[in-house]
Amino acid sequence: MAPSNATTPVTVNTSTTKATMTSMTLGQESEVKSKVKAEVKTEVKPEVKPEVGPNKETEKKKVEPTLTKEERFQKLKDEGNAFFKKGTYNDAVRCYSSCIDTDPTQVASYTNRALCYLKLNQFHKAETDCSIALALEENNIKALYRRAQASKGLKEYKKCLQDLMSLLKVDAQNKEAKKEMDAVKDLWRKELMAAKGESAKSGKKSKAEKKPTRIQIEESDTDSNEEKEDSSQVRPNQKSSSKAGKSSSKGDSKSTAKESQENPAEKQTKQTSSKKAARNSKPTTNAAPKLNKVTAYEFMQAWMSLKGTRNLAGYADLLKQVPPNDLPKVLSNKLDGDMLGLIVRATSDHLAEKDPGMSYSILYHLIDVERFNTMVLFLSKKDKKSLRKALDNLELAKCEAYTTEDVKTLRQNYAL
């Protein structure tokens, strides 16, 4: 017998094995396909981030390099103008400041920012910006006008009027500057009047506070003895003087009695004749005193001596004695509104036609006198009228000492 663990040969049908192999491969393929389909269905799609609008910072970084310096400046300026029109002045200031950072040589950035500061009542900042603008462009009208407004806001009226005067020298027909000048003049007058009133009140208070004090005087024995001796010596004279006083009083009573008996008509005629005689006895000379030396002291003494006379011929004679180029030294800081008005009228009435060269020199050198720029603002309408008349005569005279252009500059200097 053969052993039990002996292996028996297995006969395999090759046709069946091929069929099973082919069937297995088909099954496997179907399984694979099904698995692939499942994987495709369950496959996780990659996250797609939502499209977000461009960030402003990244946009700026992308835009800035493409813009030129001029284009960026103009863009910022337009933005500032738009903010200003909306009334958002702080945003406008930010834009104009960026303009200055981009190109600090552009005057418009400073004048525009100054206007915003004026709207925000930041007058010191506005004044600073205008000063920078004027350093870049000396006669910039906007800078002069806006700095004048800043000075007005700070109640520095003298500075304000000086800037407006400078503006009118550049543009004599500027209506806004003229209106502003009139308004500032009124404000300054009110301030001066208020200051005078306060000083007068303080003076009255100080006088009221000062009460008279009684002083007790103690006399020594020696003084009393001397007084006794003096009184004993004076008594006879006192008696004689008292008698004389009585007799004079009697004489006065007699004269008054006689005057009372006179006719009232006779009294009136006597009074009128005495008044006429007094008038005729007054000196009627209009000539100015002659100056021994042309000094400030002697000139002012002569000028003050003419104040009683209303005739301008005396002032004209006095001005003739002073070389015009010495007027700034002679007048020094004594020039006031009344004096300037008298000089202008005396020159117009008595010198412009007779001596146009002299009158032009006087008016020209007056400009260099201290306080002229302030005092010229307070010329009255009458003074300005006579000044225009004088300048018209100077233009018609055609003197070799000056030209018509010189007269035009004089008109500007006197704010005509």
Side-chain angles (χ1 to χ4, degrees):
M1 288 182 69
S4 57
N5 57 353
T7 57
T8 56
V10 178
T11 58
V12 179
N13 191 356
T14 56
S15 61
T16 55
T17 52
K18 286 179 182 179
T20 53
M21 287 294 289
T22 53
S23 63
M24 285 174 69
T25 55
L26 288 170
Q28 287 175 355
E29 285 179 1
S30 61
E31 284 179 9
V32 170
K33 285 180 180 179
S34 61
K35 284 180 181 180
V36 169
K37 286 179 181 178
E39 285 177 1
V40 169
K41 286 179 182 179
T42 58
E43 185 179 0
V44 179
K45 293 182 180 180
E47 283 187 26
V48 179
K49 292 181 180 180
E51 292 183 1
V52 183
N55 192 0
K56 288 184 179 180
E57 293 181 1
T58 56
E59 188 180 22
K60 282 182 181 178
K61 289 179 182 177
K62 290 179 182 178
V63 172
E64 280 179 2
T66 59
L67 291 174
T68 63
K69 181 181 176 181
E70 290 77 13
E71 289 172 343
R72 186 170 185 275
F73 176 86
Q74 190 60 43
K75 181 174 178 285
L76 289 166
K77 184 181 176 183
D78 293 339
E79 287 176 1
N81 294 342
F83 282 128
F84 183 84
K85 287 178 182 177
K86 290 177 184 177
T88 53
Y89 303 119
N90 286 313
D91 292 330
V93 165
R94 179 175 51 79
C95 290
Y96 294 135
S97 299
S98 299
C99 285
I100 292 168
D101 294 336
T102 305
D103 188 357
T105 62
Q106 294 291 331
V107 178
S109 304
Y110 298 101
T111 55
N112 288 344
R113 192 169 70 173
L115 184 59
C116 295
Y117 284 140
L118 288 173
K119 295 289 185 182
L120 295 167
N121 293 330
Q122 297 178 10
F123 301 117
H124 283 293
K125 290 182 178 181
E127 185 182 22
T128 302
D129 273 357
C130 291
S131 297
I132 295 169
L134 288 167
L136 293 170
E137 188 179 332
E138 186 178 359
N139 292 322
N140 186 279
I141 291 174
K142 287 182 180 179
L144 286 168
Y145 185 73
R146 287 169 190 173
R147 191 169 71 174
Q149 288 182 312
S151 298
K152 179 185 174 184
L154 295 168
K155 295 184 179 180
E156 295 176 351
Y157 300 125
K158 185 177 179 179
K159 287 183 180 179
C160 176
L161 291 170
Q162 285 173 349
D163 279 335
L164 291 172
M165 283 285 294
S166 300
L167 191 156
L168 289 170
K169 287 178 184 178
V170 180
D171 182 9
Q173 304 302 321
N174 194 304
K175 293 180 181 179
E176 291 181 3
K178 288 179 179 179
K179 286 180 182 178
E180 192 70 11
M181 183 177 282
D182 292 336
V184 174
K185 280 181 187 178
D186 291 336
L187 290 171
W188 199 7
R189 283 193 191 99
K190 287 176 183 178
E191 187 182 68
L192 292 171
M193 292 298 290
K196 285 180 181 178
E198 287 177 3
S199 63
K201 285 179 183 178
S202 62
K204 287 179 182 179
K205 285 180 181 178
S206 62
K207 285 180 181 178
E209 288 171 359
K210 290 180 181 179
K211 292 180 180 179
T213 55
R214 292 180 180 179
I215 301 170
Q216 292 181 353
I217 301 171
E218 294 180 356
E219 296 177 353
S220 62
D221 295 335
T222 55
D223 291 335
S224 61
N225 293 330
E226 287 175 358
E227 283 179 2
K228 285 178 183 178
E229 290 174 2
D230 292 338
S231 61
S232 62
Q233 291 174 359
V234 172
R235 276 174 189 172
N237 294 330
Q238 284 179 346
K239 288 178 182 179
S240 61
S241 63
S242 62
K243 288 177 182 179
K246 287 178 182 179
S247 62
S248 63
S249 62
K250 287 178 182 179
D252 292 337
S253 61
K254 287 178 182 179
S255 62
T256 51
K258 285 180 181 179
E259 285 176 359
S260 61
Q261 290 174 0
E262 285 181 357
N263 233 345
E266 290 178 359
K267 282 184 180 180
Q268 285 181 356
T269 53
K270 285 182 179 180
Q271 286 175 359
T272 52
S273 61
S274 63
K275 285 179 181 179
K276 285 180 181 179
R279 284 176 187 173
N280 293 328
S281 64
K282 286 182 181 179
T284 56
T285 55
N286 295 320
K290 290 183 179 180
L291 299 176
N292 295 322
K293 290 182 180 179
V294 182
T295 61
Y297 176 76
E298 286 202 9
F299 179 84
M300 290 307 300
Q301 289 292 323
W303 186 272
M304 295 300 291
S305 69
L306 293 170
K307 275 206 166 181
T309 61
R310 294 183 180 180
N311 198 330
L312 297 170
Y315 294 104
D317 290 337
L318 183 59
L319 289 169
K320 283 180 183 179
Q321 298 181 50
V322 181
N325 56 351
D326 288 343
L327 281 172
K329 292 180 182 178
V330 172
L331 295 178
S332 184
N333 61 348
K334 302 296 188 296
L335 185 69
D336 57 16
D338 293 334
M339 180 183 284
L340 183 60
L342 286 168
I343 293 171
V344 165
R345 277 179 273 146
T347 305
S348 174
D349 294 352
H350 297 279
L351 295 175
E353 291 182 3
K354 295 176 182 178
D355 194 348
M358 181 75 174
S359 56
Y360 171 80
S361 297
I362 290 170
L363 295 173
Y364 175 76
H365 288 286
L366 270 176
I367 297 166
D368 297 327
V369 176
E370 192 176 344
R371 300 178 67 195
F372 170 81
N373 289 329
T374 303
M375 293 303 112
V376 75
L377 301 171
F378 295 99
L379 285 174
S380 64
K381 290 181 179 179
K382 185 180 178 181
D383 295 336
K384 285 185 177 180
K385 187 178 179 181
S386 60
L387 184 57
R388 286 192 186 94
K389 179 186 172 184
L391 294 174
D392 291 340
N393 289 329
L394 292 180
E395 283 184 347
L396 294 171
K398 295 180 181 180
C399 182
E400 293 180 358
Y402 57 87
T403 62
T404 53
E405 289 297 324
D406 294 332
V407 179
K408 284 181 182 178
T409 54
L410 271 184
R411 290 183 191 276
Q412 292 176 357
N413 288 322
Y414 283 88
L416 295 177

